[in-house]
Amino acid sequence: MKNIKLIVIFAAALVFTACSEDYLVAEPTEVVSSDQIADIVDLKPEALNSLLSGIYTTMYTAGSGGTNLDHDDFGQKGYDIYTDMISSDMVLAGLNYGWYTRIVNYQTTVNFTDLNNYKPWRYYYRIILSSNQIIEAFGGNDFTPENTEAKHIMGQAKALRAYAYFYLAQLYQKEYVSDEMILPIYTDTQVPNQPKSSAADVYALIIKDLTDSETLLATFNRENKSSINQSVAQGLLAYAYGAQGNYQKVLEITNKIIAKNEFSLTTASQLVGKVDSNGKLINTDAGFNNVATPSWMWGVDLTVANDLDLVSWWGQVDRYTYSYAWAGDPKTIDKKLQDQIRSTDIRKEQFTSTGRPSFKFFDPNRVIGGQRTVTTDYLYMRIEEMYLLNAEAQAKLGNDSDARTTLKTLLAIRNVDGVYLDGMSGTTLQQEIYLQTRIEFWGEGKSYLAMKRNKATITRGSNHLYFAGESFQYNDDKLTFDIPQAEILNNPFID
């Protein structure tokens, strides 16, 4: 699978190199073999931790999707923007610079030669290759380490591999059909190009990896939230079962996560920024910019040392960062969705009248175009996801009363009297939970996953520059990526 191999170089810390478009189908110049890794582990156990740290670094590295020029190529948060736009909850409200135009007008998703299909493919398979290197170093997929530190490294590697395969399955399959052939599976670094495997086999690997991780990470106390711990692995597992429609498992897993009380719900102050008459921020815990926020399950603490700037999620979305959002390509909420936020709901205050998320996501200094080096953090998962998945599962299983109770817990913090839910049941309640999921996680890359789970039909609001007022079913060809041309050219088993 030469078009997705990863250059890995050990230095003082592991660094993943960005690749130019000319490199897309080139052989790697240097790959660390499993034997080499095993030798390093024998001498320096911290070496695999360095490799693991490198994988986490890839998640926010510019160019990790195979380019060194594209300003939408910066890891997981880049694809969160892609999916928020494809599901239409995020609007590209300006065309001055052109980034995301082919995403929002659905040109990318119907043209396998479009490079935007390749970026997520390359990114997630890079994660898979590096995870496989770690797993091989410990003895392979079925080996269970006895050493505690080794268990924790192996558990994270398996969870990262599952995370990557889960997103690939979501992005490149229209809907879960168990016998549909969707993706090549690689569980070690030695096999040559592989044909597509069925969705059932892909999800079986995801679930096994995450189930193994749940056990391996049982005693893991992470140093920071950039690492996957047991709760994050369980959260990913809940998402995987949800994608298959196995809501009994979703319920069991989310119940376990919530019962731990490891994370507290986002407070009203943290949800919406408040400013004084001079525009100065009053509540410094707001802005969705701090990984220390107690509701964040998984995220990364970005510092000056990470050297992120315009080519970042903040550089695309936040008007208080030196960004495209400030310079002429704002990212706004779909007007139809914004209008459905209840009048008392404090989440309505996250957005300006024109739909800018100026009071949800922001650099705390709140100087227009001010943050040049990004130190505002990246959010990957928070506890509210588990509550809303739990409510969704309860409703899908017919446990309407429990679903309403869970949803009311969240809405109360958002200043919404949940009494209106008492008259809802069945499909109506399910649709309300889906709506609240879209509102709650606007801009966080979760609406696409919810759209597919709920088999929803989306209708674009009047503020979209393309297809305003038009409707699309969740399994429309326009809403799913194509396997990219580079893979087809380089893998003889893919057509």
Side-chain angles (χ1 to χ4, degrees), residues 309-337:
D309 48 32
L310 182 65
V311 186
S312 65
W313 185 91
W314 292 95
Q316 285 289 356
V317 177
D318 176 34
R319 69 182 307 197
Y320 299 103
T321 296
Y322 183 77
S323 68
Y324 289 102
W326 155 65
D329 285 4
K331 315 306 188 292
T332 63
I333 187 173
D334 174 273
K335 188 177 188 306
K336 189 171 181 290
L337 179 59

PDB file of all heavy atoms in Angstrom, residues 309-337:
ATOM      1  N   ASP A 309      -0.638  27.988  13.195  1.00  0.00           N
ATOM      2  CA  ASP A 309      -1.026  29.348  12.851  1.00  0.00           C
ATOM      3  C   ASP A 309      -2.273  29.313  11.985  1.00  0.00           C
ATOM      4  O   ASP A 309      -3.262  28.671  12.341  1.00  0.00           O
ATOM      5  CB  ASP A 309       0.137  30.084  12.181  1.00  0.00           C
ATOM      6  CG  ASP A 309       0.795  29.256  11.068  1.00  0.00           C
ATOM      7  OD1 ASP A 309       0.089  28.465  10.399  1.00  0.00           O
ATOM      8  OD2 ASP A 309       2.008  29.388  10.857  1.00  0.00           O
ATOM      9  N   LEU A 310      -2.225  29.984  10.848  1.00  0.00           N
ATOM     10  CA  LEU A 310      -3.381  30.066   9.960  1.00  0.00           C
ATOM     11  C   LEU A 310      -3.888  28.693   9.535  1.00  0.00           C
ATOM     12  O   LEU A 310      -5.096  28.474   9.399  1.00  0.00           O
ATOM     13  CB  LEU A 310      -3.010  30.900   8.727  1.00  0.00           C
ATOM     14  CG  LEU A 310      -4.101  31.153   7.691  1.00  0.00           C
ATOM     15  CD1 LEU A 310      -5.221  32.007   8.267  1.00  0.00           C
ATOM     16  CD2 LEU A 310      -3.502  31.834   6.452  1.00  0.00           C
ATOM     17  N   VAL A 311      -2.966  27.758   9.331  1.00  0.00           N
ATOM     18  CA  VAL A 311      -3.342  26.415   8.875  1.00  0.00           C
ATOM     19  C   VAL A 311      -3.728  25.584  10.091  1.00  0.00           C
ATOM     20  O   VAL A 311      -2.939  24.792  10.626  1.00  0.00           O
ATOM     21  CB  VAL A 311      -2.204  25.764   8.075  1.00  0.00           C
ATOM     22  CG1 VAL A 311      -2.674  24.429   7.482  1.00  0.00           C
ATOM     23  CG2 VAL A 311      -1.719  26.687   6.977  1.00  0.00           C
ATOM     24  N   SER A 312      -4.948  25.784  10.536  1.00  0.00           N
ATOM     25  CA  SER A 312      -5.444  25.139  11.751  1.00  0.00           C
ATOM     26  C   SER A 312      -6.957  25.308  11.800  1.00  0.00           C
ATOM     27  O   SER A 312      -7.530  26.097  11.038  1.00  0.00           O
ATOM     28  CB  SER A 312      -4.826  25.783  13.004  1.00  0.00           C
ATOM     29  OG  SER A 312      -5.249  27.140  13.133  1.00  0.00           O
ATOM     30  N   TRP A 313      -7.581  24.578  12.717  1.00  0.00           N
ATOM     31  CA  TRP A 313      -9.033  24.747  12.890  1.00  0.00           C
ATOM     32  C   TRP A 313      -9.358  26.175  13.305  1.00  0.00           C
ATOM     33  O   TRP A 313     -10.273  26.792  12.775  1.00  0.00           O
ATOM     34  CB  TRP A 313      -9.530  23.759  13.947  1.00  0.00           C
ATOM     35  CG  TRP A 313     -11.025  23.760  14.120  1.00  0.00           C
ATOM     36  CD1 TRP A 313     -11.928  22.959  13.458  1.00  0.00           C
ATOM     37  CD2 TRP A 313     -11.797  24.598  14.990  1.00  0.00           C
ATOM     38  NE1 TRP A 313     -13.202  23.248  13.874  1.00  0.00           N
ATOM     39  CE2 TRP A 313     -13.154  24.254  14.812  1.00  0.00           C
ATOM     40  CE3 TRP A 313     -11.463  25.601  15.892  1.00  0.00           C
ATOM     41  CZ2 TRP A 313     -14.173  24.883  15.513  1.00  0.00           C
ATOM     42  CZ3 TRP A 313     -12.484  26.229  16.595  1.00  0.00           C
ATOM     43  CH2 TRP A 313     -13.824  25.869  16.406  1.00  0.00           C
ATOM     44  N   TRP A 314      -8.588  26.717  14.246  1.00  0.00           N
ATOM     45  CA  TRP A 314      -8.831  28.090  14.693  1.00  0.00           C
ATOM     46  C   TRP A 314      -8.573  29.073  13.559  1.00  0.00           C
ATOM     47  O   TRP A 314      -9.259  30.090  13.443  1.00  0.00           O
ATOM     48  CB  TRP A 314      -7.956  28.402  15.916  1.00  0.00           C
ATOM     49  CG  TRP A 314      -8.363  27.617  17.114  1.00  0.00           C
ATOM     50  CD1 TRP A 314      -7.847  26.426  17.548  1.00  0.00           C
ATOM     51  CD2 TRP A 314      -9.411  27.943  18.039  1.00  0.00           C
ATOM     52  NE1 TRP A 314      -8.506  25.994  18.676  1.00  0.00           N
ATOM     53  CE2 TRP A 314      -9.467  26.913  19.004  1.00  0.00           C
ATOM     54  CE3 TRP A 314     -10.304  29.014  18.151  1.00  0.00           C
ATOM     55  CZ2 TRP A 314     -10.375  26.909  20.058  1.00  0.00           C
ATOM     56  CZ3 TRP A 314     -11.215  29.021  19.207  1.00  0.00           C
ATOM     57  CH2 TRP A 314     -11.246  27.981  20.145  1.00  0.00           C
ATOM     58  N   GLY A 315      -7.607  28.756  12.710  1.00  0.00           N
ATOM     59  CA  GLY A 315      -7.303  29.611  11.568  1.00  0.00           C
ATOM     60  C   GLY A 315      -8.358  29.582  10.486  1.00  0.00           C
ATOM     61  O   GLY A 315      -8.339  30.406   9.569  1.00  0.00           O
ATOM     62  N   GLN A 316      -9.289  28.650  10.569  1.00  0.00           N
ATOM     63  CA  GLN A 316     -10.389  28.597   9.613  1.00  0.00           C
ATOM     64  C   GLN A 316     -11.702  29.093  10.212  1.00  0.00           C
ATOM     65  O   GLN A 316     -12.553  29.589   9.469  1.00  0.00           O
ATOM     66  CB  GLN A 316     -10.582  27.165   9.103  1.00  0.00           C
ATOM     67  CG  GLN A 316      -9.530  26.698   8.108  1.00  0.00           C
ATOM     68  CD  GLN A 316      -9.644  27.370   6.754  1.00  0.00           C
ATOM     69  OE1 GLN A 316     -10.553  28.145   6.490  1.00  0.00           O
ATOM     70  NE2 GLN A 316      -8.697  27.079   5.880  1.00  0.00           N
ATOM     71  N   VAL A 317     -11.885  29.000  11.526  1.00  0.00           N
ATOM     72  CA  VAL A 317     -13.216  29.186  12.106  1.00  0.00           C
ATOM     73  C   VAL A 317     -13.338  30.414  13.011  1.00  0.00           C
ATOM     74  O   VAL A 317     -14.400  31.029  13.078  1.00  0.00           O
ATOM     75  CB  VAL A 317     -13.635  27.912  12.879  1.00  0.00           C
ATOM     76  CG1 VAL A 317     -14.990  28.096  13.555  1.00  0.00           C
ATOM     77  CG2 VAL A 317     -13.670  26.699  11.948  1.00  0.00           C
ATOM     78  N   ASP A 318     -12.268  30.788  13.702  1.00  0.00           N
ATOM     79  CA  ASP A 318     -12.363  31.795  14.762  1.00  0.00           C
ATOM     80  C   ASP A 318     -11.992  33.187  14.269  1.00  0.00           C
ATOM     81  O   ASP A 318     -10.854  33.425  13.871  1.00  0.00           O
ATOM     82  CB  ASP A 318     -11.447  31.410  15.923  1.00  0.00           C
ATOM     83  CG  ASP A 318     -11.409  32.459  17.022  1.00  0.00           C
ATOM     84  OD1 ASP A 318     -12.452  33.103  17.264  1.00  0.00           O
ATOM     85  OD2 ASP A 318     -10.333  32.638  17.633  1.00  0.00           O
ATOM     86  N   ARG A 319     -12.899  34.131  14.338  1.00  0.00           N
ATOM     87  CA  ARG A 319     -12.622  35.496  13.879  1.00  0.00           C
ATOM     88  C   ARG A 319     -11.644  36.220  14.800  1.00  0.00           C
ATOM     89  O   ARG A 319     -11.096  37.263  14.432  1.00  0.00           O
ATOM     90  CB  ARG A 319     -13.921  36.298  13.773  1.00  0.00           C
ATOM     91  CG  ARG A 319     -14.586  36.614  15.089  1.00  0.00           C
ATOM     92  CD  ARG A 319     -15.892  37.359  14.914  1.00  0.00           C
ATOM     93  NE  ARG A 319     -15.772  38.548  14.100  1.00  0.00           N
ATOM     94  CZ  ARG A 319     -16.672  39.538  14.065  1.00  0.00           C
ATOM     95  NH1 ARG A 319     -17.771  39.446  14.811  1.00  0.00           N
ATOM     96  NH2 ARG A 319     -16.498  40.576  13.315  1.00  0.00           N
ATOM     97  N   TYR A 320     -11.406  35.699  16.001  1.00  0.00           N
ATOM     98  CA  TYR A 320     -10.455  36.310  16.928  1.00  0.00           C
ATOM     99  C   TYR A 320      -9.056  35.728  16.789  1.00  0.00           C
ATOM    100  O   TYR A 320      -8.163  36.026  17.577  1.00  0.00           O
ATOM    101  CB  TYR A 320     -10.965  36.181  18.367  1.00  0.00           C
ATOM    102  CG  TYR A 320     -12.283  36.892  18.554  1.00  0.00           C
ATOM    103  CD1 TYR A 320     -13.477  36.169  18.606  1.00  0.00           C
ATOM    104  CD2 TYR A 320     -12.348  38.275  18.625  1.00  0.00           C
ATOM    105  CE1 TYR A 320     -14.700  36.818  18.748  1.00  0.00           C
ATOM    106  CE2 TYR A 320     -13.570  38.935  18.764  1.00  0.00           C
ATOM    107  CZ  TYR A 320     -14.733  38.192  18.821  1.00  0.00           C
ATOM    108  OH  TYR A 320     -15.938  38.838  18.946  1.00  0.00           O
ATOM    109  N   THR A 321      -8.879  34.894  15.782  1.00  0.00           N
ATOM    110  CA  THR A 321      -7.580  34.373  15.375  1.00  0.00           C
ATOM    111  C   THR A 321      -7.260  34.968  14.010  1.00  0.00           C
ATOM    112  O   THR A 321      -8.170  35.332  13.261  1.00  0.00           O
ATOM    113  CB  THR A 321      -7.620  32.834  15.291  1.00  0.00           C
ATOM    114  OG1 THR A 321      -7.870  32.310  16.607  1.00  0.00           O
ATOM    115  CG2 THR A 321      -6.322  32.244  14.771  1.00  0.00           C
ATOM    116  N   TYR A 322      -5.990  35.102  13.681  1.00  0.00           N
ATOM    117  CA  TYR A 322      -5.605  35.508  12.329  1.00  0.00           C
ATOM    118  C   TYR A 322      -6.103  34.403  11.399  1.00  0.00           C
ATOM    119  O   TYR A 322      -5.492  33.343  11.297  1.00  0.00           O
ATOM    120  CB  TYR A 322      -4.094  35.667  12.234  1.00  0.00           C
ATOM    121  CG  TYR A 322      -3.597  36.158  10.895  1.00  0.00           C
ATOM    122  CD1 TYR A 322      -3.712  37.499  10.536  1.00  0.00           C
ATOM    123  CD2 TYR A 322      -3.026  35.276   9.993  1.00  0.00           C
ATOM    124  CE1 TYR A 322      -3.255  37.940   9.304  1.00  0.00           C
ATOM    125  CE2 TYR A 322      -2.569  35.695   8.756  1.00  0.00           C
ATOM    126  CZ  TYR A 322      -2.683  37.035   8.413  1.00  0.00           C
ATOM    127  OH  TYR A 322      -2.233  37.476   7.191  1.00  0.00           O
ATOM    128  N   SER A 323      -7.230  34.646  10.749  1.00  0.00           N
ATOM    129  CA  SER A 323      -7.972  33.528  10.173  1.00  0.00           C
ATOM    130  C   SER A 323      -8.724  33.908   8.914  1.00  0.00           C
ATOM    131  O   SER A 323      -8.939  35.085   8.614  1.00  0.00           O
ATOM    132  CB  SER A 323      -8.986  33.009  11.202  1.00  0.00           C
ATOM    133  OG  SER A 323      -9.995  33.991  11.410  1.00  0.00           O
ATOM    134  N   TYR A 324      -9.139  32.880   8.206  1.00  0.00           N
ATOM    135  CA  TYR A 324     -10.023  33.076   7.066  1.00  0.00           C
ATOM    136  C   TYR A 324     -11.395  33.546   7.519  1.00  0.00           C
ATOM    137  O   TYR A 324     -12.058  34.307   6.817  1.00  0.00           O
ATOM    138  CB  TYR A 324     -10.135  31.773   6.265  1.00  0.00           C
ATOM    139  CG  TYR A 324      -8.875  31.435   5.506  1.00  0.00           C
ATOM    140  CD1 TYR A 324      -7.991  30.466   5.973  1.00  0.00           C
ATOM    141  CD2 TYR A 324      -8.565  32.090   4.326  1.00  0.00           C
ATOM    142  CE1 TYR A 324      -6.833  30.160   5.287  1.00  0.00           C
ATOM    143  CE2 TYR A 324      -7.403  31.790   3.620  1.00  0.00           C
ATOM    144  CZ  TYR A 324      -6.543  30.829   4.105  1.00  0.00           C
ATOM    145  OH  TYR A 324      -5.384  30.541   3.419  1.00  0.00           O
ATOM    146  N   ALA A 325     -11.815  33.097   8.689  1.00  0.00           N
ATOM    147  CA  ALA A 325     -13.117  33.522   9.213  1.00  0.00           C
ATOM    148  C   ALA A 325     -13.148  35.026   9.432  1.00  0.00           C
ATOM    149  O   ALA A 325     -14.185  35.671   9.239  1.00  0.00           O
ATOM    150  CB  ALA A 325     -13.410  32.799  10.520  1.00  0.00           C
ATOM    151  N   TRP A 326     -12.022  35.603   9.822  1.00  0.00           N
ATOM    152  CA  TRP A 326     -11.917  37.053   9.995  1.00  0.00           C
ATOM    153  C   TRP A 326     -11.713  37.762   8.655  1.00  0.00           C
ATOM    154  O   TRP A 326     -12.310  38.801   8.379  1.00  0.00           O
ATOM    155  CB  TRP A 326     -10.760  37.370  10.942  1.00  0.00           C
ATOM    156  CG  TRP A 326     -10.183  38.742  10.755  1.00  0.00           C
ATOM    157  CD1 TRP A 326     -10.805  39.939  10.984  1.00  0.00           C
ATOM    158  CD2 TRP A 326      -8.879  39.063  10.271  1.00  0.00           C
ATOM    159  NE1 TRP A 326      -9.965  40.981  10.676  1.00  0.00           N
ATOM    160  CE2 TRP A 326      -8.768  40.477  10.241  1.00  0.00           C
ATOM    161  CE3 TRP A 326      -7.783  38.289   9.874  1.00  0.00           C
ATOM    162  CZ2 TRP A 326      -7.605  41.118   9.818  1.00  0.00           C
ATOM    163  CZ3 TRP A 326      -6.630  38.935   9.463  1.00  0.00           C
ATOM    164  CH2 TRP A 326      -6.551  40.331   9.435  1.00  0.00           C
ATOM    165  N   ALA A 327     -10.897  37.157   7.779  1.00  0.00           N
ATOM    166  CA  ALA A 327     -10.450  37.843   6.570  1.00  0.00           C
ATOM    167  C   ALA A 327     -11.460  37.838   5.430  1.00  0.00           C
ATOM    168  O   ALA A 327     -11.287  38.593   4.469  1.00  0.00           O
ATOM    169  CB  ALA A 327      -9.141  37.231   6.087  1.00  0.00           C
ATOM    170  N   GLY A 328     -12.499  37.010   5.513  1.00  0.00           N
ATOM    171  CA  GLY A 328     -13.466  37.072   4.432  1.00  0.00           C
ATOM    172  C   GLY A 328     -14.230  35.802   4.119  1.00  0.00           C
ATOM    173  O   GLY A 328     -15.141  35.823   3.286  1.00  0.00           O
ATOM    174  N   ASP A 329     -13.871  34.697   4.754  1.00  0.00           N
ATOM    175  CA  ASP A 329     -14.592  33.438   4.553  1.00  0.00           C
ATOM    176  C   ASP A 329     -15.147  32.943   5.884  1.00  0.00           C
ATOM    177  O   ASP A 329     -14.698  31.930   6.435  1.00  0.00           O
ATOM    178  CB  ASP A 329     -13.669  32.366   3.957  1.00  0.00           C
ATOM    179  CG  ASP A 329     -13.378  32.595   2.484  1.00  0.00           C
ATOM    180  OD1 ASP A 329     -13.828  33.621   1.942  1.00  0.00           O
ATOM    181  OD2 ASP A 329     -12.670  31.764   1.883  1.00  0.00           O
ATOM    182  N   PRO A 330     -16.127  33.640   6.456  1.00  0.00           N
ATOM    183  CA  PRO A 330     -16.659  33.225   7.758  1.00  0.00           C
ATOM    184  C   PRO A 330     -17.335  31.866   7.681  1.00  0.00           C
ATOM    185  O   PRO A 330     -17.868  31.479   6.636  1.00  0.00           O
ATOM    186  CB  PRO A 330     -17.654  34.324   8.107  1.00  0.00           C
ATOM    187  CG  PRO A 330     -18.014  34.956   6.802  1.00  0.00           C
ATOM    188  CD  PRO A 330     -16.800  34.843   5.937  1.00  0.00           C
ATOM    189  N   LYS A 331     -17.288  31.154   8.808  1.00  0.00           N
ATOM    190  CA  LYS A 331     -17.995  29.887   8.954  1.00  0.00           C
ATOM    191  C   LYS A 331     -19.136  30.136   9.937  1.00  0.00           C
ATOM    192  O   LYS A 331     -18.906  30.528  11.081  1.00  0.00           O
ATOM    193  CB  LYS A 331     -17.059  28.794   9.495  1.00  0.00           C
ATOM    194  CG  LYS A 331     -15.674  28.726   8.845  1.00  0.00           C
ATOM    195  CD  LYS A 331     -15.696  28.613   7.336  1.00  0.00           C
ATOM    196  CE  LYS A 331     -14.321  28.359   6.737  1.00  0.00           C
ATOM    197  NZ  LYS A 331     -13.375  29.485   6.861  1.00  0.00           N
ATOM    198  N   THR A 332     -20.355  29.929   9.493  1.00  0.00           N
ATOM    199  CA  THR A 332     -21.522  30.277  10.298  1.00  0.00           C
ATOM    200  C   THR A 332     -22.452  29.080  10.449  1.00  0.00           C
ATOM    201  O   THR A 332     -22.322  28.074   9.753  1.00  0.00           O
ATOM    202  CB  THR A 332     -22.306  31.440   9.653  1.00  0.00           C
ATOM    203  OG1 THR A 332     -22.816  31.022   8.372  1.00  0.00           O
ATOM    204  CG2 THR A 332     -21.420  32.665   9.453  1.00  0.00           C
ATOM    205  N   ILE A 333     -23.404  29.215  11.362  1.00  0.00           N
ATOM    206  CA  ILE A 333     -24.381  28.158  11.584  1.00  0.00           C
ATOM    207  C   ILE A 333     -25.482  28.236  10.533  1.00  0.00           C
ATOM    208  O   ILE A 333     -25.868  29.327  10.084  1.00  0.00           O
ATOM    209  CB  ILE A 333     -24.982  28.263  13.007  1.00  0.00           C
ATOM    210  CG1 ILE A 333     -25.881  27.052  13.317  1.00  0.00           C
ATOM    211  CG2 ILE A 333     -25.722  29.568  13.207  1.00  0.00           C
ATOM    212  CD1 ILE A 333     -26.380  27.011  14.763  1.00  0.00           C
ATOM    213  N   ASP A 334     -25.956  27.096  10.103  1.00  0.00           N
ATOM    214  CA  ASP A 334     -27.099  27.016   9.196  1.00  0.00           C
ATOM    215  C   ASP A 334     -28.276  27.778   9.809  1.00  0.00           C
ATOM    216  O   ASP A 334     -28.626  27.567  10.980  1.00  0.00           O
ATOM    217  CB  ASP A 334     -27.459  25.542   8.995  1.00  0.00           C
ATOM    218  CG  ASP A 334     -28.723  25.344   8.172  1.00  0.00           C
ATOM    219  OD1 ASP A 334     -29.812  25.350   8.796  1.00  0.00           O
ATOM    220  OD2 ASP A 334     -28.622  25.180   6.958  1.00  0.00           O
ATOM    221  N   LYS A 335     -28.872  28.670   9.035  1.00  0.00           N
ATOM    222  CA  LYS A 335     -29.932  29.529   9.583  1.00  0.00           C
ATOM    223  C   LYS A 335     -31.136  28.728  10.056  1.00  0.00           C
ATOM    224  O   LYS A 335     -31.755  29.047  11.083  1.00  0.00           O
ATOM    225  CB  LYS A 335     -30.379  30.567   8.555  1.00  0.00           C
ATOM    226  CG  LYS A 335     -31.331  31.611   9.141  1.00  0.00           C
ATOM    227  CD  LYS A 335     -31.716  32.673   8.134  1.00  0.00           C
ATOM    228  CE  LYS A 335     -32.502  33.787   8.837  1.00  0.00           C
ATOM    229  NZ  LYS A 335     -33.653  33.298   9.594  1.00  0.00           N
ATOM    230  N   LYS A 336     -31.466  27.696   9.336  1.00  0.00           N
ATOM    231  CA  LYS A 336     -32.597  26.863   9.723  1.00  0.00           C
ATOM    232  C   LYS A 336     -32.346  26.225  11.085  1.00  0.00           C
ATOM    233  O   LYS A 336     -33.246  26.140  11.927  1.00  0.00           O
ATOM    234  CB  LYS A 336     -32.846  25.789   8.667  1.00  0.00           C
ATOM    235  CG  LYS A 336     -34.128  24.984   8.822  1.00  0.00           C
ATOM    236  CD  LYS A 336     -34.341  24.125   7.585  1.00  0.00           C
ATOM    237  CE  LYS A 336     -35.628  23.330   7.684  1.00  0.00           C
ATOM    238  NZ  LYS A 336     -35.562  22.257   8.693  1.00  0.00           N
ATOM    239  N   LEU A 337     -31.114  25.786  11.318  1.00  0.00           N
ATOM    240  CA  LEU A 337     -30.754  25.202  12.610  1.00  0.00           C
ATOM    241  C   LEU A 337     -30.743  26.279  13.693  1.00  0.00           C
ATOM    242  O   LEU A 337     -31.266  26.069  14.792  1.00  0.00           O
ATOM    243  CB  LEU A 337     -29.390  24.528  12.521  1.00  0.00           C
ATOM    244  CG  LEU A 337     -28.858  23.892  13.804  1.00  0.00           C
ATOM    245  CD1 LEU A 337     -29.801  22.809  14.328  1.00  0.00           C
ATOM    246  CD2 LEU A 337     -27.453  23.321  13.580  1.00  0.00           C
TER     247      LEU A 337
END
